[in-house]
Amino acid sequence: MAFASGYFKTSYKADLSLVETRTRWLFLAILIIGLICFPFIASPFLLDLASQVCLSLIGAVALMLLTGYAGQISLGHAGFIAAGAYVTAILFKEFNAPIWVTLPASGLVGAILGIIFGLPSLRLKGVYLALSTLAMHFIVVYMGAEYESRRGFATGIVIKPPSIGPFIIRDPLVWYFLALIAAVAALLFSINLVRSRSGRAWVAIRDREVVAEAIGVKVPLYKLSAFVTGAVMTSISGCLFAYYRGFVSVEAYSLFLTIQYVAMIIIGGLGTILGAVLGTIFVVLLPYTIDAVGRALQVPARLTTYMFAIQYASFGLIMIIFLVVEPGGLVAVWNRIRNYFILWPFKRRPMGR
Amino acid sequence: MQIIVNTVVLASLYSLIGCGFVLIYRASRVVNLAQGELMAMGGYFLFTVAMGLFKEPIPSFLVASVFSVGLGFIIYFFLMRFMAGESVFAAILSTIALGILLRGLITLIWTSQLWHPLEKMGITNASHTLVKDAVISTFGIVTVLSAFFIYLALFLCLKFTRWGLRMQAVGENPLLASRRGIKLHNYYALSWGVAAFTGGFAGMIQSCDAILEPGMVAIGLKTFPVVLVGGLDSLAGVIPGAFVVAIAEVIAINYISPQASEAAPFVVLLIMLLIRPWGLFGTKEELERV
Amino acid sequence: MTRNGGEGLLNVENMGVVYNNVSAATHGVSLKVYKNEIVALLGTNGAGKSSALKAISGFLGIDNARVVEGFIEFKGERIQNQPPHAITLKGIALVPEWGKVFENLTVEENLEVCVPAAKRQVKKQDIAQLLEYFPPLQKAKKRLAGYLSGGERQMLSISTALLCKPDLLLVDELSLGLAPVIVDELMGLLKIIRDEQGVTILLVEQNALAALGIADYGYVIENGRIVFAGTAGTLLSHKDIQEFYLGQADRESRTSYRDVKQYRRTRRWYG
Amino acid sequence: MDKPIDLSIKAISLAIGGLKILSGISFDVYKGELLALIGPNGAGKTSLLNCISGIYNPTGGEILFNGMDLARRTSHEVAEAGIARTFQLTELFKHMNVLQNLLSGRHLKMKSGLLSNGFFWGKTIKEEVEHRQAVEKIIEFLELGKYRKTESAGLPYGTQKIVGLGRALAMEPQLLLLDEPSAGMNRQEKEDIARFILRIKHEMGLTIIWVEHDMQLVGDLADRIVVLNFGTKIAEGKPDQVLSDPTVIESYLGTRAGAK
Amino acid sequence: MLKKGLFGMVLSVALVAMFFVPAYAAPEPYLVGAAISITGPGSEPLAPIKDALDIYFKDVNAKGGINGHPVKLLIEDTMNEPSRAATQARQLVTQNKVSLLILAGLSSLYAPVVQVAEQYNVPLLFLGVCPPETYPPKADPNQFCSTAFGMKFDSSFAVPFIHEQSKGSSLKLALEAMNVPLSRNEIDWAEQLAKSMGIEVVDKEVTPPPTADFTPFATKMKSSGATWAYSYGPWGMEVRTFEALRKLGWKGKYLAYGHIQAEDELKRLKDDDFYVYGTNAFFTDNTQAHQRIKAMSEKEKTVYPYTQLTDGWIGATVIEEVLKKVPWPATPDKVRESMNQVKVDTQGLKGGPIVWTKTNHYRTTGYYRAYKWDSKKNAVVIAKDWTAIEVK
């Protein structure tokens, strides 16, 4: 196959492989090496951001499965994250439970919440479903607030760093790799899901519910399973986030958090896992990028108050610009850039989408 | 007795905010999550006008209303126009982004200080005793009356004028309306303008009756329970919806726990979705549309 | 070429419509409609007739499609890729398929809504005059349009379109979902309206038989191309049209579907 | 007919929102036959199909299939019972490619669960390969090879309908319901469809209920025809006999067709 | 198409590039990092702190800095979001290498920022509000507090004050807090204190943070027959409840904690029975320090009015005093060392100096004063002058 003009597969199994061509293997290898080397060259601040991206990615991919693939709109994502975080906090505070208890417990509570959040989806869709999940979010956060004020945890609940055996996970470097592994695991899990039976059932429901049912998909079951999968992954990310931050408090799980996750999948591009990745990177880094721009502008101290207000507003503005200029999301931008380089130096673009 | 008066005033405020939401939804099926920000903007417009242009209340209110309507038009022509035909979710997100933008603008222009437009206009918010034990403030009365008259005006307009008729047609079948030579953009912009006006007016009254601060956008969150209980597409439903939510809130404050008053409207919302998802006055077909 | 001795009203020249910048729906469609004519555009689903119709009425934008080649000229003015309400105001009114009406408005309100702002002088008597063509509607004036029968809906749809005082009436799939008897009645009404009101009509139809019954001239579109054009009479007597569109060729002379071409065995992907 | 009965429809009636759509329709479908269902638009053909496939639950009557009453079953239960259908308008999952669309038809034949899918371990891989082979056979059968990885929204209209047919076949049903497979196709495409339908009947031995508008196709291919009008059955029998039935001509085929 | 592609490319390049823009490279100044809630919900009492710090250190730097080195303030806007505050604190400490961290934000931001301070062992000064970890007998080594309020001390002034004022008449007290930890805890403590003093507490209201309408709460307070009301929480809640009570025709007296807005608000409300108390002197004192704040504020055209700058100004005075005793080059350890034994003269802005010791990072003595409006004099008057409360 030395002069192969294309890459031919010789079995159906080969067609299932995720990484198809040698070039892609090469890119993947570079990416992996880059990710491993990254913490050794980056500043602690960048490392912190990278860990945040990785942890957020789990929640974003989960929302992508739920909304982008199964088509169930949810505005209650922060509720799932809060649930995971509060389960961790409560177990830690009340029973001093270690991470190998809180992590599965968060997942379990997430699963239960997923079913509860998902039940309205059997009857409702679109805006109605979105608003019902929004209501659920408020109720979950209210319960968290009640716990906090009843137990008198004045300024949120502080959680000690988790330990596995004798090792205490505290070092940012360790956290980075932990978050990276968790994110990659979540990514692989999601990619596998969407390319096999369950994922196809979800997309079928999203694209055409009546037809999905006619080919034998148990629609209620699969809707709930989408909610449960999304909720479990998100709750686990909530648990990890709680450990990473070292505290849990109501203010951290406001509607704004949901908005950020929704922004991730829409700005990334609905219906693609890559979109979730790009969207997460974009949304997590955006405020700090805006900060950096603001700082680079060297505004006189007197005007910085206005500068901060502008920064706050520009988060909204950039989101709006994105929605208006590029409804296809970052994936569409990515595909254009890729096509440009694949074709370079030829100008003709392929007849694709 | 006092509790009833309070509830009526609160419900009037909610129905003022909610009607803008319903108008936009009916005309363009867009869920506007920036209703609270539109409301706050109204208050800030009033403050600016009262401080810079007029000292008298009535011209101040009028000019601020004009600004509010203008804001609605601007929002439509510079943002929402481009969201036509996008997914429900993208449209929701764009209104959220709009909310963030507006909040940033408020801090930018008026900072996060507390303001009192009432003081600038040199009038006081006197109290009046209705019956024994029941007191209502001047702007409480204004809230109730303006809710009444704005609703009356809206009903009359929608029922008996060409514009109202066409607005209804646009909401029902935009494609067909456009085939009949109705300029969709104008009607969508109109719905945004009216929504910004009613919301903004609520904000003006609220800023006079209480205080003007960026935090007042949080009231906008109550819109969703209000309109869903009434029915997303039903203007008439907003009023009972507002009452149900206001009553739920007052009951929560008085008999359960004050903090529950934040969650209570959403519990009401969920119960409503469970038993009658299309709302008290909404149409069942609406469920299938979105 | 002039037909009927009338002057040209609509001139579609070499029009190509492309969806999503990629897939072409029509290639070089050319057709002409002269004043006071009834022209039929015939074709099966997906042949490109609805794309042509959307292009003329300005509804391509909604499906992310554009006219990329050629032009559409109406009264000497290029109108391709303009928004629908602008085209309506220029004098082209569309009667959409399935008799779409505003279901939550009454028949009367449906009619009032459709009076364009530019032509305010249209008064109640115009509506009354129009309703004389459609006696069933007159009886149902106060009823919600959602409760009308299929035929009545089409009548309402036609009359609302006529209220826009169009020069050209586009009628999309009038026969769809209606009993043949009612289709005949509606077609007859259209002809009367044309004769009395002087409206030009472009019928876009699958039901070739019904359309050619009243049309003066007809075009047949297939795979995005005009394949036949001619007067109604020519088309009705054309052998292929008879076989494929009118379904009336005798069974002996045509090929049966049972004797279709041989199955080509394609190579399976891997062994 | 002495063939065994596959599906038996007994006095089916359906009303939606006070509107009577079907009233008391009964007929039998025999094993391995190609039964065409014809009638004007709005006669209730598609509604009847929806009743059989569980999308609507009829207000009265029974639909017996393998000793099971389908009248009160949900759509996916009907699918589990071995009935597959195609849809009138192209109803492919438009963001899936052809392969995925066909594989989605194998949903019921596959058994792997969510977790197994997520980790993509042994069972799932084995299943994916196995069912891929089954799907490849259908791709070959329907000559879809060159479209394998094309997203279905970008396919030509006719091809989309064939993929829809393929997805139904992928379910390996006993009974196939076709809803106007040839609608909007040109002669060439109709010939393809005709060929596929005949091959399905002869090579796979499926029972087919076929809603069709094209009288030529029906006349040439169908074993038996049932004619519906205004929700009632007005005729049933062999093609020649039904198509020359005066009531059918009057209410459906139209007198003009004969006259001119 | 090409334009869109370009848009995407420019955007991604900009995104990447922004992270490699060197932030602050100059090593000479004292680096002080501040995470302040300037925008976002609940930022109204905190945003003016930035103004005060800005003008104070502009003046200091103009006069040649501290020990010959200028002070460089690195200010970040937390938007009152906990995660954002944590990230910014980490950025300030690890990337910008500040030797002192300042936090002015709601109580929900404590935990995340304290974590960072602990992890990197950097002293953390609270402006605005502060946690009880700074109180004696065992203060957290890294946490310091120069703010106005202090949990359990404020009400130790307020409750006896009410008791004293109501001598000779019947006293029925209603309490109000907002459902945020600080406010709620303080009111619980006030209730306990009042009961121990034999005061009848007839009502206690806890309002949720985004309350649209305080009338329901005011109605409950009024119907409880209260003659005095004490409210402790954000200014908006305090004053709106008072106004709601007055709207309902309540005739009682009202005590509120006097936040930065208090001075202007007393003049606006002009109500003889509305009392505020706090630890800062009002501008009616017109000391030299007050004159300086006013002059600087007017010169620099601060965003917030000069009456709201006192808190931040005091904080800045403390920072200056601390840095003065830090030998060059400054490190977090040296700064902490200096903070462990500092005595700051507040120049009349408070009732006395702020003194920190190794075990007390709050102050050894708190000084409180109460103000009210006097309609006869048509001016704000002192209702009770400086009262010292020992902090133990």
Side-chain angles (χ1 to χ4, degrees), chain A residues 43-46, chain E residues 89-98 116 120:
Chain A
S43 68
F45 168 61
L46 285 186
Chain E
R90 187 161 288 148
Q91 182 186 14
L92 288 169
V93 172
T94 61
Q95 186 167 308
N96 301 326
K97 311 266 183 244
V98 298
V116 176
Y120 296 97

Side-chain angles (χ1 to χ4, degrees), chain A residues 43-46 48-49 52 149 154-155 158-159 170 172 244-247 249 251-252 256 260 282 285 287-289 291-293 295-296 301-302 304-306 308-309 312 321-322 325-326 333 336-337 341, chain E residues 1 4-5 7-9 11 15 18-19 21 23-24 38-40 50-51 54 75-77 79 81-84 86-88 90-91 94-95 107-108 110-112 115 119-120 179 181 184-185 300-301 303:
Chain A
S43 68
F45 168 61
L46 285 186
D48 179 34
L49 285 184
Q52 276 187 51
S149 57
T155 54
V158 176
I159 303 172
R170 197 179 185 138
Y244 180 66
R245 285 275 176 247
F247 75 96
S249 79
E251 287 81 357
F256 193 66
Q260 283 177 324
F282 184 85
L285 299 191
Y288 302 102
T289 314
D291 285 356
V293 174
R295 227 174 289 127
R302 192 160 63 80
T304 45
T305 305
Y306 299 117
F308 287 127
Y312 187 90
I321 290 174
F322 239 95
V325 175
E326 192 48 90
V333 177
R336 262 200 302 276
I337 296 172
F341 281 108
Chain E
M1 283 303 263
K4 275 192 171 184
F7 167 75
M9 268 153 102
L11 204 98
L15 246 168
M18 279 313 149
F19 282 88
V21 170
Y24 294 99
I38 295 166
T39 59
K50 181 200 157 281
D51 265 357
D54 270 344
I75 295 173
E76 300 285 351
D77 175 19
M79 299 179 185
E81 269 177 61
S83 336
R84 196 173 147 86
T87 308
Q88 286 171 331
R90 187 161 288 148
Q91 182 186 14
T94 61
Q95 186 167 308
S107 46
S108 52
Y110 297 164
Q115 289 253 315
Q119 193 178 354
Y120 296 97
N179 192 25
R184 224 183 132 136
N185 282 4
E300 294 295 329
K301 297 195 178 60
V303 177

Side-chain angles (χ1 to χ4, degrees), chain D residues 5 7-10 26-30 33 35 224 236:
Chain D
I5 291 168
L7 181 92
S8 158
I9 290 171
K10 289 184 176 160
S26 314
F27 59 88
D28 292 335
V29 187
Y30 301 99
E33 88 169 330
L35 178 92
R224 241 155 31 95
E236 180 182 356

Side-chain angles (χ1 to χ4, degrees), chain B residues 162 165-166 168-169 172-173 175-183, chain C residues 59 62 84-85 88 94 96 100 102-104 113-115 157 160:
Chain B
R162 284 172 60 84
L165 206 61
R166 293 185 147 206
Q168 223 172 324
E172 194 184 316
N173 192 339
L175 275 179
L176 184 58
S178 150
R179 280 177 180 147
R180 293 289 167 262
I182 297 175
K183 288 176 185 133
Chain C
F59 271 87
I62 285 151
H85 62 84
T88 308
L94 177 76
K100 286 198 188 91
F102 300 113
E103 296 185 359
N104 293 330
V113 157
C114 295
V115 180
S157 193
T160 53

